[in-house]
Amino acid sequence: MFSNSTVKKSGKKYIYSFDEGDKSMKDLLGGKGANLSEMTKIGIPVPFGFTISTELCRYFLDNKGYPDSFAEQLEDNLSLLEIRMGKKFGDTKNPLLVSVRSGAAASMPGMMDTILNLGLNDDTVTGLIEKTGNERFAYDSYRRFVQMFGNVVMDVDHEHFEDVLEKMKENKGVSLDTELDANDLKRLVTEYKLVVKEHAKEDFPESPYHQLKLAIEAVFNSWDNERAIVYRRLNNITGLKGTAVNVQSMVFGNMGDDSGTGVAFTRNPSTGAKEFYGEFLMNAQGEDVVAGIRTPVTISELEKVNKSVYDELVEAKNKLETHYKNMQDIEFTIEKGKLFLLQTRNGKRTAAAALKIAVDMVEEGLLTKQEALLQIDAKSLNQMLHPQIKKTATRTVVAKGLPASPGAACGKVVFTAEDAVEWVTERGETVILVRKETSPEDISGMHISQGILTSRGGMTSHAAVVCRGMGKCCVAGCNDIMVNAKEKKITIGDLVINEGDIITLDGGTGEVMMGEMEMQEPDLSGDFKAVMDWADEFRHLKVRTNADSPEDCRVAIDFGAEGIGLCRTEHMFFDEERIPLVRKMIMSKDATERAPYLEKLQEFQKKDFEGIFKVMGSRPVTVRLLDPPLHEFLPEDEAQIKQLAEEMGMPEKNLHAVIDNLHEINPMLGHRGCRLGITYPDIYEMQVRAIAEAAMHVSVGDIRVDVEIEIPLVGEVTELKYLRGVVSKVLDEYEGRINFDYKIGTMIEIPRACVTADEIAEAADFMSFGTNDLTQLTFGYSRDDIGKFMQIYLDKGILEQDPMGSIDEKGVGKLMDVCVKLARTTKKGIEIGICGEQGGDPQSVEFCHKIGLDYVSCSPYRVPIAKLAAAQAKLKSL
Amino acid sequence: MFSNSTVKKSGKKYIYSFDEGDKSMKDLLGGKGANLSEMTKIGIPVPFGFTISTELCRYFLDNKGYPDSFAEQLEDNLSLLEIRMGKKFGDTKNPLLVSVRSGAAASMPGMMDTILNLGLNDDTVTGLIEKTGNERFAYDSYRRFVQMFGNVVMDVDHEHFEDVLEKMKENKGVSLDTELDANDLKRLVTEYKLVVKEHAKEDFPESPYHQLKLAIEAVFNSWDNERAIVYRRLNNITGLKGTAVNVQSMVFGNMGDDSGTGVAFTRNPSTGAKEFYGEFLMNAQGEDVVAGIRTPVTISELEKVNKSVYDELVEAKNKLETHYKNMQDIEFTIEKGKLFLLQTRNGKRTAAAALKIAVDMVEEGLLTKQEALLQIDAKSLNQMLHPQIKKTATRTVVAKGLPASPGAACGKVVFTAEDAVEWVTERGETVILVRKETSPEDISGMHISQGILTSRGGMTSHAAVVCRGMGKCCVAGCNDIMVNAKEKKITIGDLVINEGDIITLDGGTGEVMMGEMEMQEPDLSGDFKAVMDWADEFRHLKVRTNADSPEDCRVAIDFGAEGIGLCRTEHMFFDEERIPLVRKMIMSKDATERAPYLEKLQEFQKKDFEGIFKVMGSRPVTVRLLDPPLHEFLPEDEAQIKQLAEEMGMPEKNLHAVIDNLHEINPMLGHRGCRLGITYPDIYEMQVRAIAEAAMHVSVGDIRVDVEIEIPLVGEVTELKYLRGVVSKVLDEYEGRINFDYKIGTMIEIPRACVTADEIAEAADFMSFGTNDLTQLTFGYSRDDIGKFMQIYLDKGILEQDPMGSIDEKGVGKLMDVCVKLARTTKKGIEIGICGEQGGDPQSVEFCHKIGLDYVSCSPYRVPIAKLAAAQAKLKSL
């Protein structure tokens, strides 16, 4: 079945039974498979089975077929499973039923497909009845199997099955599935098979072996379905071979009231509290809990239902947490009073929970500080660093759901993922996605929304799990609301909320409020501080911030910034008081005419720098001299042009001529950066004078200002040499009075600068990667224009992620690496940092550590993320 | 004088007497110095002297002073010179006078400064009178020296001296310098010294040693004067240490009628004819001939004046040409009937002359073909490849001058170099620069003009020499015309030509014509063909052309193109018949709406390709799929927008909305190239269908079309893989009918493509560097916008040349080299070419050869240049 006619023996092992693997084999067996083996190894009760490796998935996808040895390996493993379970696959007396599940090396909840009860057909079902003595259960399992298999493997839409089911219930005059008896369910199986035949144009496969083959292939193929691709893209999952397939003997949570199923976390994934946390449903299969269709019961209730099973479960979860040294997310099934664990994995958690768990586990002696640091998702800290709803704000709560993922969110209500994407990308709105329940198809829409509100589902529903992973606010299972997606409205009693109305969610309390609420800063003491202190202890990279105002500097210092990596001076030019001076300066014919305006601007700039230096004290401050093209400072609309012309006493026509003359076809590649400094040295001279005078003024007592004067957009060392001369000449004017430290260096943002960094280093005291521009030039993209094709690129898998998000290591990163190496051949200890937005992205921080940078600089709110990521990078490299 | 107080002996030799050097020491002694030594060595009569090395110049410019050992070396060499000449420097009885001349490793005519008669003062002049018995000569030399030294070393403007001289002549009532007697000249010396004192605020130096010191330093400093920098820039002269200084005993061409001076070429530098070619003036110093102030006599006349000197000169020039195996440009002086050669160097020549000389010298057995090829300036071929005045055109000749540099030129008359620059760069005019005579200050203006017309000066005047070097048309010494630069007009008898009037020059006949003449193609047989055949014999690089039409293809094949390296398909879209279809295609909502327009466009494209394939036969043709952003095809002005809206039956407003939506902030970095192909695969599919059907149609009999389908703007291999799939799928439609050869490859024009070329090569059958875009992205420049700063960059020496002209080897070249190496690690023999405009630039061609490209592709008119450059690159590398 799986082989060519001539079977050749091959040495390659493609299947591992659960007693052959262990948790280190994640790449080969997937996370689920490796953990099933590991659990088996440490004596946790796991239904026996085997795992087909990710290598086979890759082989299958590449070759559209199987290697010769596979058929024999599968037969051997099925035989072993039959022996261990004392059942036979396809047997009419004592049939072995299996589940078939996907499982890649990285967790992808809900993305891949699962089939339960495989092995059932019209013959084996009689065996199942015989063994269990429960005809209703057997046909319930059978009809579930036909539906699941028909849907997942044979691509028949769920609704076709639901229609048949609804019709049957209608005819019978009942409303619940449980009100159907064995005969009804038996008839349902027959009707379901007709549904399959009609829509799939094929008979439902009766042979259990054929079922297994089709199921395995469906899992493999689902690796490349669009949802999986999108999930991998959004979560930056790259470099995997494929998914493994776990074939496991079935246990049944739906065998009656002594059976059940549940999911649980070893600690509270929302707060981190050390408490057993989870939900279960009696007489149900696993999918019922996760899908959020029935609202499950809290785990502690299990003690009342079956104390010995509960105790056994608590023991197992403790064993697992201690063994994995990490908070675990487990799935279990109780079959006729016997406990089985079906899965364990490291549990997703909120940032607050991650911090608390880390601190607690270190205190408990379970983890070292280093291990604890590595368990925290640096990106998730983002949740804690953004404002919450202000404590003093009056809350007009209109509904309350489950606090499924913390943080606060505010936006306009939309009802479909497509609308969410459209409203945000095309209209620039911020939105809250409101759904009855979410499904994997909604991922893109969820990602782009500020927060998610659902009317159904529990704390482990799809919406809740995905949002916690994304660090996005979610209120789930909000039964108070009626979601009418067709008419695009929510009704809460008499209250109607329409599409486009603004609501606010509090994911920490589950409250839904009308309108936009005032927000407040988060508390950064306690666990947060403890973890930050550990990060400071271990990291090598310094962390600076990008800030242009004393206020931003203050925030950044509170977040632990160690200096400014990028202070953009152009922002200071836009102030209402100054922009007229800037414009007059630009309109001037020559340096003489510019002089009086520059003199006035110098006073303003001096004050700006004084404010910043005062906050930063002796910490290093990198000041970038003027960068944008001059036309950015000129008015664009007619009224403003007219006004400026009047102020300058010049005909409007002439002003238009100046503006036209400054117009550029590709401003990003035009007259900006050091090119401005070279053509108008007097502008840079003014800025350097303002810096020097401010620094002299602030440097008093213990304070010794440490300024790094940065020349932007250098592509050729002569540019830097020339402007270094201009800067030095100004500083020479203050000879004998310089009471501050300074360096003169450059931003590296032009590909040519990277490949000639050995020369550039000759004239630079420091370098700082401007990865925004460097990425744009290396790819030939303009950030302003990629909107036209980037989404298509991501959808078609041309790019795995927008290169503006994380450093593109293959291209941009290669140039950065070349730059660092070349620069240090000329000047061994030259300080090199990064100041693009990517400086706050954990993946990029790790790369920066790898290539030997001295610091990263990012926006104030990302400083803690960068610090943690820096520590993790160092620890990983050890 | 040249040392610190404590003299330390150092091993470094900074001065070489003329019997110590040879022609191989050009880098150290400069071209002039090395040749003076070489001439001395082979027994040519050269006034003895010594050369101060370029290394000292570098030391002096870097340290603003001299190394310790220099003073002693200078004394030693002066002593030696005194002994050899039997004269003493500064002696009042028998004074040694010297010339001090610059001389760098590369020839820079007129750029560097020269001082003659150095060593004269009020004391030594009496010695000179005593020795020569010619008081008038002595004071004439003395006043020339004071003026030259005052001007060159002490920076006193010429006009101040001229004013004094004019006043004196006026007072005496004479008009010629020669009418002044010894006493007048003596008084002139005194007055000239007062002029110096007044303007330089310093006394004229009396001490010969001090004069020598100042003169040497003036030469050194002139290395970095603006004219020298501009000349080096225009001629791409880089990497030199500085200039050498030649100190040579004076010989006098102005000692009376038995003395004289001249310049000559061993062959005719204009036609290449094997004839002794030059000019001389009796009783004159060298500067008089070159400066063009007196019109000199043709060299053959010298035989009548002094046969023995003439014979000696002919013998010397023959010896020099044979010795140097190259046409020589020599300077000579006759002092009281004795011949001295002052200089020899390889003579500049027109392209026609270069070809004839090369062919003749190979026939004469003087050169091998390889040596001959290396003597031709590939760039100069440009002169021969551009149209001449049509033979049948009626010439309304209004004046005739010397045919100083061949080719024809037509443009508006301007009278100053500044006007030439302004009219061309700011108004976009083409101009003819008209001057009485040109001077080094005019270089920039000459470079930018179509041609030069002067009223004075001979075939070796500044204008003539420089124009031949530049390959620019020049009519010199046109005595018929009166140039009035102040009133900006030329008068020729009654005819007045005003600024802005159009004239045509024929540099091959010396004719000046009114208005614009019809031009014709040049003759490419004879010497041209012979040299091209040699080039074909030796070169490794193939030479293709960039052509988009059958006509261009035909021209290119006539010039010897071996294929098309770049056929841009977008040009075909702009045709009047097609652009409406293109626009409708762009306005379509989706692929279904686009389909009918694409179908019609396909018919057009098919015809285009058929036309091209028919001309190209089995030669390779690289067709680039659509590259520019779609908005380039939409109308810009309101009338056209209105018309299109009507044609499409849509409201103007909607059309405006589409145009606005397609607008890009940085179109160069936007939705174009393969990004278009990926978002609109149907456009590329249409183009591939047109290519395939055209190729199938043309491939008949011996003709097998060889098409290379090129995907533009690839930065990531997945882009290429995706579009390779699109292209292949279309070609699969013709399975079994494909009777042509094809490859699928990509243009390399994105920096990221270079650093990931190993991956890209996996999906590419060929690569071709698009160095226009690659240069723009590597530098972060937009060719459309660099105008705002490039001139300032060149003027300030930030860049030595516009990087769009020749490949920037340090930056862009490094990326190209990396690309070639990476690509060939994946695919050893992958074909790699270049198709930017730089593919026709000799320096770039040499670089392409070095990094191992397979071919260069350039515009049809540059094909012969590229072929010659390719052969030279190969020969140089051997």
Side-chain angles (χ1 to χ4, degrees), chain A residues 281-298:
Chain A
L281 280 171
M282 294 310 280
N283 199 13
Q285 280 206 340
E287 300 303 300
D288 301 335
V289 182
V290 180
I293 292 164
R294 279 164 65 192
T295 300
V297 183
T298 183

Side-chain angles (χ1 to χ4, degrees), chain A residues 272-283:
Chain A
K274 194 176 179 184
E275 60 191 19
F276 192 24
Y277 183 94
E279 298 160 327
F280 72 101
L281 280 171
M282 294 310 280
N283 199 13

